[in-house]
Amino acid sequence: MLEIVRNHRRLMLFVLLLLVFPSFVFFGMESYSSFMNNANDAAKVEGRVITNAEVDNAMRMQSEQMRQALGASYDPRQFENAETRRALLDGMIQERLIANEATRLHLTVSDAHLQEAIMAIPAIAQLRSADGKFDVDGYRQLLGAQGMTPEQFDARMRFDLSTQQLVRSIAATDIIPASLIDRLIAIRDQQRVVQAVTYKPADYAARVTPDEAALKAYYDGHAAEFAVPAQAKVEYLVLSADSFAQGVTVTPEELQSYYEQNKKRFQTAEERQASHILIVSPKDAPAADRAAAKEKAAKLLAEVRANPASFTEVARKNSQDPGSAEKGGDLGTFGRGAMVKPFEDAVFALKKDEISDLVETDFGYHIIRVTGIKASETRPLDAVRAELEKEIRTQKATKQYGEAVDQFTNTVYDRSESLKPAAERLKLTIQTATGVTRQPNPALGQSPINNEKVLAAIFSDDVLKNKRNTEAIQVGPNTLVAARVAEYQPATTRKLEDVKDELRAKVVAQEAAALARKAGEARVAALKQAPSDEGFGAPLTVSRSQAGDLPGAALEAVMRADTSKLPAFVGVDLGANGYAVLRINKVQEGAKPDAARRQADIRQLEQIAGQSQFDAYYQNLKSRSKVQIIRPATAPAEG
């Protein structure tokens, strides 16, 4: 609804321009059309637009996928921010450019390859029943829930597979010489024996006695550390399908009807356990050999029919199926679609303990005995009642939510002076949040008010200064939020006299760290002139993949150090943790990886090299293509 309102305003502006500047229609139309389009565009790739709405949808889909994957540990701030949005836009631009190139190169995918790829998707593979039949209606419903028809999905999959051909072909062009692989592995696994001593700031803190001038100097130079950000007390409404679900009732009649409509979901196909005796006789074997095999099978059939209890022993001694002979011919339990058709047809035509006639397949002649039948079952309504009630409740709530969206959106916009009209109309509770800041506040946790899009709206001029409601903002699937500022405290800086204790601690820490660094640097200089092991800790063997107790910065310094002359000494500033002095005593080769590890290393290096090759190709492709970033993806699109 808000987009309709905005478009209406644009139309009124256009009409006004026509009235005031009639010539606008002749020489200004193209310019104005470009303005209207660009207002909602994020980028253009070879003239094709990527809209802000497309980026928004990609953000929502990714965020929802992570919400489902992470559950209670999901934090929207990790996935709904400017960096994520920028990465998504970059990915969409890359996808468009690669797609254009695949089209230019006329890359295609066969129907057989397409079908194989589609059936490899687990959600679709599940639509094939045990008897091999494919649920076409279920397939259409599955795609329909994603807003696609089978034809659209086929086209999308064919398109994706063709672009993957291009990506794989480029990544596979880089070949790493074996000698280079061995060298890289040796560098990675190289070990260095080191000793360390750390000069800690705490040991120098007693020497630091900052005066008033030092405190003021630090205060003046680090004002941001003592800033109190602008804060607001915010009232807000949440419209979500979940809120409707609490008031939804499910009648017995609705439950029974829904169960009947979905009964297939709760059915298990019939399964059978069978044993067999196989006399091998390939289809292309000479006629005499096939006749001999059939005669042998017929004799065994007569034997087990005369004495059915001997079937297991006869199978163990005579069956030529190595997989089941030692188990007395037992093939286990299986449903339709697991065996070749003549064998399957025979199995499912037999009664329990009945022995078949000779069954001919491409493998030879079979004698089959059904040893168990697990009938098709349908879970009763009582067993799935809770599951179905939840589904019906969700569907009803989602429908009610959909019907309420326009009312909510329009009311918070039209009655922008208060949230009460919307709350009363839709029976919602006005909630309150304090300590709301321009950036997400960890203290507010996963509150919907802590969403970056909501915060941007709350601190906009229209809401903050004009005291209006925000627009309805989508913060998740089937969830809208509208807010207004109840109280506002501008950003301030704490006074010097109020933070003296904090100031003193900061100055002492800073100066003590400087003294520790100075002492450490002096020790390194002295050791380079006169090597010594005095004061160092126990030897520690480290490598690029095994840091031991060394901090990351110290390990990096050790592995980068020049070891042409040993012992070698390096110093590393660890900031608040002090200054580390490291003595490198020995350099030694790591253990050579076994064959399996080496192959894994080669694959990893090839993947890295392939990705590097593709990145270079993509950068070249991008440089010779027309790519325009219309709206930098540093924040969600407005509205």
Side-chain angles (χ1 to χ4, degrees):
M1 182 62 192
L2 288 175
E3 191 58 38
I4 295 174
V5 172
R6 291 194 185 92
N7 289 336
H8 175 70
R9 289 170 179 168
R10 293 180 189 133
L11 179 61
M12 293 303 294
L13 173 60
F14 179 62
V15 171
L16 179 60
L17 286 168
L18 288 178
L19 292 173
V20 180
F21 304 108
S23 59
F24 172 82
V25 71
F26 299 106
F27 66 81
M29 182 65 76
E30 181 177 350
S31 173
Y32 183 69
S33 174
S34 175
F35 164 75
M36 289 185 70
N37 291 336
N38 288 352
N40 289 311
D41 297 345
K44 276 188 179 180
V45 180
E46 297 289 0
R48 290 183 59 203
V49 167
I50 298 176
T51 66
N52 284 315
E54 289 178 274
V55 183
D56 287 343
N57 287 336
M59 285 272 291
R60 280 192 289 270
M61 289 177 63
Q62 176 175 289
S63 186
E64 180 57 22
Q65 288 170 356
M66 298 311 299
R67 186 194 306 274
Q68 293 176 3
L70 298 176
S73 61
Y74 169 79
D75 184 351
R77 290 169 296 177
Q78 293 180 326
F79 307 102
E80 299 175 10
N81 52 49
E83 290 74 21
T84 301
R85 187 179 181 83
R86 188 181 302 110
L88 282 171
L89 178 58
D90 289 344
M92 295 169 80
I93 291 171
Q94 182 181 105
E95 182 181 282
R96 292 281 176 90
L97 287 175
I98 296 299
N100 290 346
E101 192 70 358
T103 301
R104 186 183 70 79
L105 295 172
H106 305 293
L107 298 179
T108 58
V109 176
S110 68
D111 291 342
H113 186 191
L114 174 65
Q115 184 175 5
E116 181 182 350
I118 290 176
M119 290 308 300
I121 300 172
I124 295 176
Q126 292 177 2
L127 296 173
R128 188 182 293 282
S129 61
D131 60 4
K133 294 180 180 179
F134 187 71
D135 185 356
V136 177
D137 291 337
Y139 180 61
R140 291 183 179 278
Q141 290 175 7
L142 179 65
L143 296 181
Q146 308 300 320
M148 284 187 290
T149 64
E151 294 74 21
Q152 290 171 328
F153 184 63
D154 284 359
R156 176 65 185 179
M157 284 291 294
R158 193 183 297 274
F159 179 77
D160 288 346
L161 291 170
S162 66
T163 57
Q164 288 171 19
Q165 290 181 44
L166 176 60
V167 174
R168 283 195 298 267
S169 64
I170 294 166
T173 59
D174 203 31
I175 299 175
I176 307 177
S179 58
L180 177 58
I181 289 175
D182 290 337
R183 179 61 182 151
L184 291 171
I185 292 174
I187 291 173
R188 181 200 63 192
D189 294 342
Q190 184 191 79
Q191 297 177 336
R192 298 190 173 190
V193 180
V194 301
Q195 292 173 276
V197 59
T198 302
Y199 290 81
K200 299 178 180 179
D203 295 334
Y204 297 87
R207 303 184 191 181
V208 182
T209 54
D211 57 17
E212 292 295 323
L215 296 181
K216 188 172 189 315
Y218 187 97
Y219 178 82
D220 292 340
H222 300 80
E225 295 182 18
F226 307 101
V228 179
Q231 296 187 29
K233 178 180 179 182
V234 173
E235 296 176 346
Y236 64 99
L237 292 176
V238 178
L239 180 75
S240 69
D242 290 342
S243 60
F244 286 104
Q246 298 172 3
V248 168
T249 57
V250 179
T251 66
E253 294 76 18
E254 288 174 324
L255 187 62
Q256 183 66 46
S257 175
Y258 190 75
Y259 173 73
E260 296 297 334
Q261 294 171 20
N262 292 272
K263 193 176 265 188
K264 285 184 179 180
R265 288 169 45 191
F266 309 111
Q267 292 177 344
T268 56
E270 179 184 335
E271 293 183 330
R272 297 200 166 202
Q273 184 174 4
S275 298
H276 80 142
I277 301 168
L278 170 65
I279 302 302
V280 174
S281 179
K283 280 285 188 183
D284 56 358
D289 292 348
R290 289 185 60 79
K294 185 175 183 180
E295 182 180 356
K296 180 177 180 180
K299 288 181 179 179
L300 294 173
L301 174 61
E303 182 180 345
V304 295
R305 279 196 166 160
N307 182 12
S310 69
F311 191 99
T312 298
E313 190 60 28
V314 172
R316 185 176 290 113
K317 291 180 178 179
N318 297 277
S319 179
Q320 295 172 353
D321 175 9
S324 67
E326 62 180 16
K327 296 184 289 186
D330 183 28
L331 294 169
T333 301
F334 53 88
R336 289 187 180 274
M339 303 293 182
V340 293
K341 194 170 190 311
F343 191 98
E344 176 187 291
D345 290 344
V347 168
F348 282 87
L350 294 171
K351 297 177 182 178
K352 186 176 182 298
D353 295 326
E354 190 174 0
I355 297 174
S356 70
D357 293 328
L358 291 185
V359 177
E360 183 180 2
T361 71
D362 289 346
F363 302 101
Y365 296 96
H366 305 259
I367 303 166
I368 305 170
R369 182 186 185 191
V370 171
T371 57
I373 297 176
K374 184 179 180 181
S376 172
E377 294 181 353
T378 301
R379 292 165 66 193
L381 174 58
D382 285 345
V384 295
R385 181 182 300 276
E387 177 183 347
L388 295 187
E389 283 184 346
K390 182 178 179 180
E391 289 182 15
I392 296 172
R393 191 172 287 108
T394 298
Q395 290 178 8
K396 282 187 168 185
T398 302
K399 181 180 179 182
Q400 291 180 20
Y401 168 82
E403 293 168 349
V405 164
D406 281 349
Q407 296 179 49
F408 182 79
T409 302
N410 292 338
T411 306
V412 298
Y413 183 85
D414 294 337
R415 300 291 301 276
S416 61
E417 75 286 351
S418 173
L419 293 174
K420 288 183 180 179
E424 292 172 354
R425 184 173 186 180
L426 295 167
K427 296 180 173 59
L428 301 174
T429 301
I430 296 177
Q431 303 179 60
T432 302
T434 57
V436 179
T437 54
R438 291 180 184 271
Q439 300 301 321
N441 183 351
L444 294 175
Q446 296 186 26
S447 167
I449 214 69
N450 222 18
N451 178 281
E452 284 197 351
K453 290 187 290 186
V454 177
L455 294 175
I458 287 171
F459 288 94
S460 67
D461 285 349
D462 193 44
V463 175
L464 195 60
K465 295 181 180 179
N466 299 331
K467 302 188 182 302
R468 298 182 185 277
N469 298 336
T470 68
E471 297 177 341
I473 300 167
Q474 185 167 6
V475 297
N478 297 330
T479 306
L480 292 174
V481 169
R484 67 180 293 105
V485 175
E487 297 175 9
Y488 175 69
Q489 296 177 352
T492 59
T493 300
R494 289 184 290 167
K495 296 178 180 179
L496 186 148
E497 55 268 25
D498 295 334
V499 294
K500 276 195 174 181
D501 290 342
E502 186 178 340
L503 269 174
R504 185 170 287 101
K506 287 178 178 290
V507 173
V508 168
Q510 184 183 66
E511 293 300 321
L515 290 173
R517 181 173 62 253
K518 185 177 179 181
E521 290 172 344
R523 181 72 190 281
V524 172
L527 288 168
K528 287 182 177 180
Q529 296 298 319
S532 167
D533 60 0
E534 184 181 350
F536 283 93
L540 177 68
T541 301
V542 299
S543 69
R544 286 178 171 82
S545 57
Q546 297 292 331
D549 295 331
L550 288 188
L555 177 66
E556 183 178 354
V558 166
M559 301 311 296
R560 285 179 176 272
D562 179 5
T563 56
S564 56
K565 181 180 178 182
L566 295 175
F569 297 93
V570 292
V572 184
D573 186 357
L574 301 178
N577 293 319
Y579 192 91
V581 178
L582 301 133
R583 173 189 167 108
I584 304 170
N585 299 324
K586 184 179 179 181
V587 176
Q588 58 194 30
E589 297 303 318
K592 288 188 177 181
D594 58 29
R597 172 67 188 277
R598 189 172 188 279
Q599 285 302 313
D601 289 339
I602 290 173
R603 285 194 297 271
Q604 184 178 22
L605 289 169
E606 287 176 342
Q607 289 173 358
I608 294 171
Q611 183 62 48
S612 176
Q613 191 80 352
F614 175 76
D615 289 343
Y617 171 84
Y618 171 65
Q619 291 305 322
N620 177 268
L621 176 63
K622 190 175 180 180
S623 68
R624 55 187 169 87
S625 304
K626 294 180 180 178
V627 177
Q628 178 188 7
I629 305 296
I630 298 171
R631 183 179 186 276
T634 55
E638 293 180 3

